[in-house]
Amino acid sequence: MVAKNWCYFITYALSLLVGAQTALRTRALQTAVTWDKYSLSIHNERVFVFSGEFHYYRLPSPDLWKDVLEKMKAAGFNAASVYFSWGYHSPKSGEYDFTGIRDVQKLFDIANEVGIYIISRAGPYINAEVDSGGFPGWLTTTKDLTRVYSPEYTAAWTEWLSAIDPYIAKNQITNKGPVILNQVGKFIFNMCPSYMQALEDKFRADGVIVPLTFNDAWTNSSFGHGVGAVDIYGFDSYPQGFDCANPNIWPGSAQTYWRGYHESFNPTEPLYIPEFQGGAFDPWGGVGYEKCATLINYQFERVFYKNNYAQGVTMLNLYMTYGGTNWGNIGYPGVYTSYDYAGGISESRQLPYKYGELKLQGHFTQTVKPFSTTFWFNGSTADNSDIRVDTLQDVYTGTQFYIVRHQNSSSLVHDTFHLNVNSTDGTFTIPQQASTAITLDGRDSKIIVTGYDFGSHHLVYSTNEIFTHAQIGKRNVALLYAFEGEDGETALKVNRSAKPAVKSFGNNPVTTCVNGTTLRLNYKHQGITPVVITGAAEPDLLLYLTGYDDAIKFWAPKVDDKQTVLVYGPYLVRGASLKGTTLALRGDTNATTTIEIVAPETVKTVTWNGEKISVQTTLYGTLVGKLAGPAKITVPNLLKAKWKFNWASPETDPNFDDSNWIVANHSTTNSITQPETLPVLYADDYGYHTGSIWFRGKFNGPSAITGLELLGQGGNGSGYLAWLNGEYLGGTPIPATSSSANATYTFSKGQVKSGENTISLLLLTSGHDEDWNVDDQFKSARGFGKALLVGGNNTAIKWKVQGNLGGEDIVDKVRGPYNEGGLYGERAGWHLPGFSDSKWQSVSLPYNFKQPGVAWFRTTFNLNIPSGHDVPLAFRFTDDKSKEYRAIFYVNGWQFGKYANALGPQTVFPVPEGIIKHNGQNTVAIGVISFNANSSELANFNIEILGAYCGGIKVNDVDSPNYNKAVRRV
Ligand SMILES: *[C@@H]1O[C@H](CO)[C@@H](O)[C@H](O)[C@H]1NC(C)=O
Ligand SMILES: *[C@@H]1O[C@H](CO)[C@@H](O)[C@H](O)[C@H]1NC(C)=O
Ligand SMILES: *[C@@H]1O[C@H](CO)[C@@H](O)[C@H](O)[C@H]1NC(C)=O
């Protein structure tokens, strides 16, 4: 506990200096990013921060970073929050890699090109459901408590920040880069202010001058004041939890104390939620992400995100917006390969239904500027006591936002009501039209706006919601939406001197009435109703009144800093530019699509992905045309492919040569799990931090020995297998709910020889734990805490250990420290393209190899996906769930899946383009680890198409080095 005392001693010393510290605090280091109690400003312009979490290390195909960031930008996100993962860049103390898939400069460049800000979060500790919460493997063997002030830990994190900080510093907005904010650390429960302060001082010393932020795990009042205080404090909230098994039950309720907490805790800063629930992760043996997508669906987004706004949040980051893949061994034991997270963009980069809601809210927060500077007032009621109304008013313009939801945020009741508003234009009960009402049909929330100037028009109120509005060419355009069948009422100010004319171009009736200076429209939301209003104000107004499912098919790309166009129809519109009279649109279609474009009148030509499309002008002055869908895509059937097969547990053979293995002879360990028997059999202690680990033990056999007791600690959902003298003793799967399991293997009579005996143990690991509580939980053992011969009076075993080739001196620097483990096939490079399997046995699937242990399968196949298409591909395992085997599979040498047949839940494994070559030859290698003879098979394994989109972006193949005999000497 030396380290803890350090913490308090140094914190006390610093607190004496706190006046000086505060003075040193760095609000004046730059003027690009400023803030007040309402919101952040960038270059003196208010911004509502609508941010999505994205982890580059969960998408190791750097060109696709652009795809994800463009999809975020198209939904109205103006920022991406990015964790930088220490362990991903550092296989060994002192070694740091920022090349290839780790090229963070490329990430910053892409963000700049796309036009999206970055909130950088470099830890050192990040949690994030990654191995050790982002700590490198080599940190697991250090002595001092981490995440407090200690010399050993300080030396370690100083290495990391010295390596990553120059990238963050160079790419700050003050240097024309995308970084606007820099988070320090990650929630800390056993708070050590001096540690926090030391991190801040390091960022500052390394030239990070943008505001520093903190991410409290909840409203826990950390680091808003005193030693270690940051510039902008924020807290997390995951109100729904992670119980995807009951996706229709909403256990959490929308919180209403945050505004008060913020006003008392950090009233001079904006209300920031650095992580709000954007989805949910799912554990080994879980129910799968489809159910998580139901739990955290568009209704959750509507009710909970809007409640955040009602509480005063103007800086919101959604975790995860793009989850990606725990490829290789990057995940911690609580997650399996997919980290889809049921986020707004799927693991395979497809756009689920809930993306549409993000787009509606994203554009609203970016378009309606008064939303960034509001105060709450107790100003309004509904004529239905079931309805909660939070009223916000802009301090500058008086524009009001009535955020309505059910009092009980998970209510399923269909409610209708009228709202009493007291706006800059007077008091009204809306809607005013008899027999109409505002609807909240079950889990829903709406933002109703009054007294809002947009373009040259003035919205008195609308009972519907605003997607966006813009001046396009000579007229104003706005889009209002509500769910299909709901009533709509919109009132606009009219210019007394003009005579307003309202012309509807849809099939749904729109009635109008003018009362004094107010023009009122009444209608029902269904499909799309374009309405042109002339004479209300100059210029004309084109109003789209739409149902929800049509609203989410609109896009509002900016053609430059000022101008926007509106586009309806395509699956995705990535961007637009205007050169002379040509409007160039970029995007993706999933089928033949009718496109409608609201463009400046000067536009004569429209191109889509560079090709001219023929367009007609509608009666209300928009352009319509047709876009082609994707070509028909085919992939080979891998069940018909030629497969090669080889046995791969030579370590079980008593005569196997383990002379170059490391002798496991430690008698002490820095692990927090103390072993029950010695020597220490923890892989980390011998330099192996990832994937499968082999142990071989030799003992001389008095016949009194009757068995072997083991405690295997591989992490949740892992397991181990044991052999004696080449004979299989048995396998022990570790359940998803436990990180270790005991087993006793009884030897049969005569199985122990009187001379030398050999035990072979294969431990599968599922990664290191995180460090949630600052108790070094990530230093939990990965190995065998107990290996005891039963009978024979504590006969000593001489142990050796083997893990990934090279240990911390990884041999595959391109794919990095988490890609491969210590299976024989991995060490020997059987997973790599270019390895010659010509001497292996030819087999076809399904194939049963009838013996427990490890076996490998390989095949190659060609793909020829047409250019100009984005075709997400995946591999699917299908088998009888009673069979207890695991498989890891590699595509072109990249480990892209850990499959647990009996445990589940994942059966479909997306592999991003670039890792899988869409044009050319691909190599698949699968290591199957079988726990019993009946389970020794690879049954149905095939490639499948998850979707086909005409468009996409150009993706270069990721450098995937071939097998090299010289380095794969095992
Ligand atoms: C409307 O608000 C104003 C300003 O707060 C207040 O003076 C007035 O009494 C309110 N009117 C009604 C009808 O509530
Ligand atoms: C017209 O406006 C007046 C005052 O602004 C109001 O009292 C009246 O109720 C309105 N009539 C209708 C039909 O909305
Ligand atoms: C295309 O995407 C839209 C969502 O934009 C979806 O509603 C539709 O079903 C998709 N069509 C096909 C053929 O996949």
Side-chain angles (χ1 to χ4, degrees):
M1 290 292 96
V2 171
K4 265 200 181 161
N5 292 337
W6 268 89
C7 167
Y8 295 119
F9 174 72
I10 292 170
T11 302
Y12 176 71
L14 281 179
S15 68
L16 298 176
L17 290 169
V18 81
Q21 282 292 328
T22 309
L24 282 175
R25 269 182 55 199
T26 43
R27 292 169 190 240
L29 282 175
Q30 50 81 40
T31 54
V33 185
T34 55
W35 69 92
D36 61 16
K37 65 179 180 179
Y38 300 112
S39 49
L40 204 68
S41 292
I42 296 180
H43 297 312
N44 289 321
E45 216 180 285
R46 294 274 175 190
V47 286
F48 192 106
V49 176
F50 192 73
S51 169
E53 186 79 14
F54 168 66
H55 298 155
Y56 61 99
Y57 46 87
R58 285 181 159 124
L59 181 60
S61 181
D63 289 329
L64 288 175
W65 299 343
K66 182 172 174 190
D67 181 60
V68 171
L69 293 182
E70 282 191 340
K71 283 169 177 162
M72 285 174 57
K73 170 101 174 175
F77 286 94
N78 59 351
S81 166
V82 177
Y83 270 138
F84 295 91
S85 184
W86 181 0
Y88 192 67
H89 296 272
S90 180
K92 186 180 183 182
S93 175
E95 249 177 55
Y96 290 86
D97 184 355
F98 294 95
T99 62
I101 59 168
R102 296 175 176 72
D103 184 352
V104 297
Q105 185 56 50
K106 175 159 180 150
L107 176 67
F108 289 124
D109 291 345
I110 289 172
N112 241 3
E113 187 191 333
V114 171
I116 197 161
Y117 296 125
I118 298 282
I119 300 171
S120 59
R121 311 205 293 164
Y125 180 75
I126 61 172
N127 213 65
E129 289 78 63
V130 287
D131 185 283
S132 297
F135 284 152
W138 55 265
L139 200 72
T140 58
T141 58
T142 54
K143 188 161 194 298
D144 286 357
L145 185 64
T146 54
R147 296 169 74 202
V148 296
Y149 197 98
S150 96
E152 185 190 29
Y153 176 56
T154 302
W157 65 252
T158 300
E159 264 188 24
W160 161 239
L161 291 187
S162 295
I164 187 71
D165 284 356
Y167 290 99
I168 297 172
K170 176 177 170 212
N171 290 285
Q172 293 175 102
I173 189 164
T174 48
N175 296 328
K176 297 194 160 58
V179 177
I180 54 166
L181 298 168
N182 184 65
Q183 181 176 312
V184 182
K186 172 76 181 178
F187 50 75
I188 300 178
F189 300 103
N190 301 338
M191 282 186 291
C192 181
S194 54
Y195 164 54
M196 185 71 181
Q197 187 62 52
L199 295 179
E200 288 171 31
D201 294 346
K202 174 65 177 163
F203 280 117
R204 291 308 193 206
D206 288 343
V208 176
I209 59 174
V210 293
L212 300 180
T213 65
F214 183 61
N215 162 200
D216 213 351
W218 55 82
T219 49
N220 199 34
S221 307
S222 311
F223 302 119
H225 311 280
V227 175
V230 292
D231 297 315
I232 300 175
Y233 163 89
F235 58 86
D236 289 359
S237 176
Y238 291 81
Q240 206 76 309
F242 301 88
D243 183 12
C244 300
N246 294 294
N248 296 312
I249 294 172
W250 281 16
S253 48
Q255 297 299 340
T256 54
Y257 73 90
W258 289 344
R259 182 176 286 277
Y261 171 80
H262 171 241
E263 278 167 7
S264 69
F265 183 66
N266 63 332
T268 60
E269 300 157 21
L271 180 38
Y272 177 31
I273 301 192
E275 289 186 23
F276 194 83
Q277 186 152 25
F281 64 83
D282 193 41
W284 289 104
V287 293
Y289 282 109
E290 268 172 41
K291 290 206 163 160
C292 301
T294 303
L295 181 70
I296 311 297
N297 64 0
Y298 72 102
Q299 294 170 311
F300 173 82
E301 297 174 322
R302 288 178 68 77
V303 173
F304 280 80
Y305 301 171
K306 288 176 187 176
N307 182 68
N308 292 342
Y309 314 145
Q311 289 296 303
V313 171
T314 59
M315 296 173 65
L316 179 66
N317 177 53
L318 301 174
Y319 188 106
M320 295 296 299
T321 293
Y322 173 79
T325 309
N326 293 310
W327 64 279
N329 298 296
I330 73 174
Y332 95 124
V335 287
Y336 46 88
T337 303
S338 176
Y339 196 66
D340 179 87
Y341 215 94
I345 302 171
S346 77
E347 178 184 13
S348 46
R349 300 172 293 99
Q350 293 170 279
L351 306 179
Y353 190 69
K354 66 187 276 187
Y355 174 90
E357 179 61 33
L358 296 176
K359 184 169 36 160
L360 298 176
Q361 293 186 36
H363 281 280
F364 174 79
T365 62
Q366 301 309 302
T367 312
V368 181
K369 295 293 177 191
F371 203 48
S372 300
T373 43
T374 63
F375 62 93
W376 184 93
F377 72 103
N378 192 1
S380 175
T381 51
D383 61 355
N384 177 339
S385 60
D386 218 15
I387 304 302
R388 178 186 169 97
V389 186
D390 282 291
T391 316
L392 313 184
Q393 182 169 314
D394 176 30
V395 287
Y396 298 117
T397 61
T399 298
Q400 294 172 342
F401 304 92
Y402 294 80
I403 302 178
V404 294
R405 64 167 168 88
H406 294 285
Q407 301 281 4
N408 168 357
S409 54
S410 52
S411 168
L412 294 168
V413 174
H414 177 109
D415 267 314
T416 57
F417 61 94
H418 298 81
L419 195 63
N420 300 310
V421 304
N422 179 3
S423 74
T424 49
D425 297 300
T427 60
F428 313 92
T429 298
I430 60 171
Q432 301 192 63
Q433 176 76 35
S435 317
T436 68
I438 305 171
T439 300
L440 285 181
D441 186 4
R443 290 162 172 172
D444 192 17
S445 172
K446 291 183 160 73
I447 304 175
I448 289 163
V449 182
T450 71
Y452 177 47
D453 285 322
F454 65 105
S456 50
H457 289 81
H458 180 79
L459 180 73
V460 178
Y461 65 83
S462 173
T463 60
N464 320 121
E465 296 186 272
I466 300 172
F467 171 22
T468 190
H469 59 76
Q471 165 102 23
I472 300 180
K474 289 206 182 76
R475 61 184 172 178
N476 287 168
V477 182
L479 193 153
L480 303 175
Y481 67 94
F483 285 107
E484 283 72 12
E486 291 184 5
D487 296 326
E489 180 170 289
T490 295
L492 296 159
K493 259 277 179 304
V494 291
N495 185 342
R496 252 182 209 292
S497 61
K499 222 174 161 209
V502 177
K503 194 151 189 214
S504 164
F505 295 85
N507 297 325
N508 302 315
V510 177
T511 61
T512 63
C513 83
V514 179
N515 181 7
T517 57
T518 305
L519 165 67
R520 209 178 82 203
L521 310 180
N522 283 90
Y523 45 89
K524 260 195 196 315
H525 286 274
Q526 196 72 63
I528 302 176
T529 308
V531 175
V532 174
I533 300 167
T534 43
E538 281 304 320
D540 295 352
L541 173 64
L542 168 60
L543 202 54
Y544 277 107
L545 307 168
T546 84
Y548 186 87
D549 282 346
D550 283 299
I552 63 176
K553 289 193 180 133
F554 274 88
W555 304 89
K558 282 203 154 69
V559 293
D560 55 40
D561 280 352
K562 292 200 180 62
Q563 292 192 83
T564 299
V565 292
L566 213 56
V567 182
Y568 171 82
Y571 176 79
L572 171 68
V573 177
R574 295 174 183 272
S577 63
L578 190 55
K579 274 212 186 85
T581 59
T582 300
L583 175 69
L585 298 172
R586 286 190 308 119
D588 299 8
T589 55
N590 65 350
T592 308
T593 303
T594 301
I595 186 173
E596 178 168 344
I597 305 155
V598 190
E601 299 77 4
T602 49
V603 168
K604 296 284 173 282
T605 308
V606 177
T607 65
W608 174 259
N609 294 335
E611 304 237 337
K612 188 173 165 192
I613 56 171
S614 112
V615 288
Q616 279 83 47
T617 307
T618 63
L619 293 173
Y620 51 97
T622 64
L623 304 170
V624 290
K626 260 214 165 31
L627 303 175
K632 180 146 178 49
I633 310 291
T634 55
V635 291
N637 181 354
L638 299 187
L639 289 178
K640 300 220 169 99
K642 291 188 176 120
W643 287 85
K644 290 289 196 165
F645 169 84
N646 201 6
W647 299 101
S649 325
E651 300 89 343
T652 63
D653 182 343
N655 298 320
F656 176 79
D657 178 7
D658 63 12
S659 56
N660 64 356
W661 287 27
I662 290 178
V663 175
N665 58 2
H666 295 189
S667 55
T668 60
T669 177
N670 290 328
S671 167
I672 61 163
T673 324
Q674 283 307 306
E676 294 174 37
T677 58
L678 291 175
V680 175
L681 296 181
Y682 297 161
D684 291 298
D685 292 49
Y686 303 98
Y688 300 119
H689 306 300
T690 183
S692 304
I693 312 289
W694 278 97
F695 294 87
R696 297 183 91 236
K698 306 255 188 205
F699 65 95
N700 282 319
S703 54
I705 295 170
T706 58
L708 176 66
E709 275 182 31
L710 294 172
L711 168 61
Q713 301 144 316
N716 305 60
S718 63
Y720 56 95
L721 297 84
W723 288 260
L724 176 67
N725 299 329
E727 285 176 50
Y728 190 56
L729 295 171
T732 303
I734 296 175
T737 48
S738 173
S739 64
S740 62
N742 284 291
T744 301
Y745 297 113
T746 309
F747 300 152
S748 55
K749 230 186 164 115
Q751 202 173 0
V752 177
K753 295 186 295 183
S754 58
E756 185 183 74
N757 291 273
T758 305
I759 299 167
S760 301
L761 304 177
L762 171 59
L763 179 72
L764 312 179
T765 70
S766 55
H768 297 91
D769 296 337
E770 294 174 322
D771 189 48
W772 181 269
N773 286 318
V774 194
D775 54 5
D776 276 357
Q777 182 71 27
F778 75 103
K779 295 179 185 171
S780 301
R782 290 296 172 260
F784 290 91
K786 181 182 191 182
L788 183 68
L789 292 167
V790 185
N793 276 334
N794 296 328
T795 306
I797 311 172
K798 287 197 151 77
W799 287 100
K800 287 193 157 188
V801 55
Q802 185 65 280
N804 65 297
L805 187 62
E808 292 179 1
D809 294 303
I810 54 169
V811 294
D812 187 345
K813 293 194 192 299
V814 171
R815 298 183 183 89
Y818 294 111
N819 191 51
E820 59 191 71
L823 294 179
Y824 188 85
E826 292 174 296
R827 295 172 47 75
W830 295 359
H831 60 293
L832 294 169
F835 172 80
S836 171
D837 54 22
S838 60
K839 298 211 178 75
W840 290 22
Q841 182 186 339
S842 292
V843 298
S844 56
L845 300 189
Y847 183 74
N848 188 316
F849 51 96
K850 299 193 177 76
Q851 255 190 56
V854 190
W856 282 78
F857 295 81
R858 284 174 53 95
T859 193
T860 58
F861 61 91
N862 289 305
L863 289 178
N864 191 9
I865 308 287
S867 67
H869 282 72
D870 184 5
V871 180
L873 299 172
F875 293 87
R876 183 191 288 272
F877 289 84
T878 315
D879 203 355
D880 166 3
K881 294 290 168 217
S882 68
K883 306 205 167 175
E884 188 61 76
Y885 68 87
R886 307 300 168 89
I888 58 172
F889 81 97
Y890 284 88
V891 178
N892 299 323
W894 299 85
Q895 193 201 128
F896 249 83
K898 281 195 175 73
Y899 175 67
N901 185 58
L903 182 60
Q906 190 175 4
T907 56
V908 179
F909 295 79
V911 178
E913 183 177 359
I915 293 294
I916 184 166
K917 296 178 176 150
H918 279 203
N919 289 279
Q921 193 187 63
N922 291 282
T923 302
V924 167
I926 306 170
V928 178
I929 301 119
S930 149
F931 285 71
N932 59 61
N934 287 340
S935 303
S936 304
E937 67 184 25
L938 180 59
N940 183 331
F941 176 85
N942 218 334
I943 186 169
E944 69 183 45
I945 297 168
L946 297 177
Y949 307 93
C950 188
I953 58 165
K954 170 107 183 72
V955 180
N956 293 298
D957 288 338
V958 176
D959 178 25
S960 299
N962 274 0
Y963 173 77
N964 177 343
K965 198 169 179 183
V967 298
R968 293 284 167 183
R969 276 170 302 161
V970 296

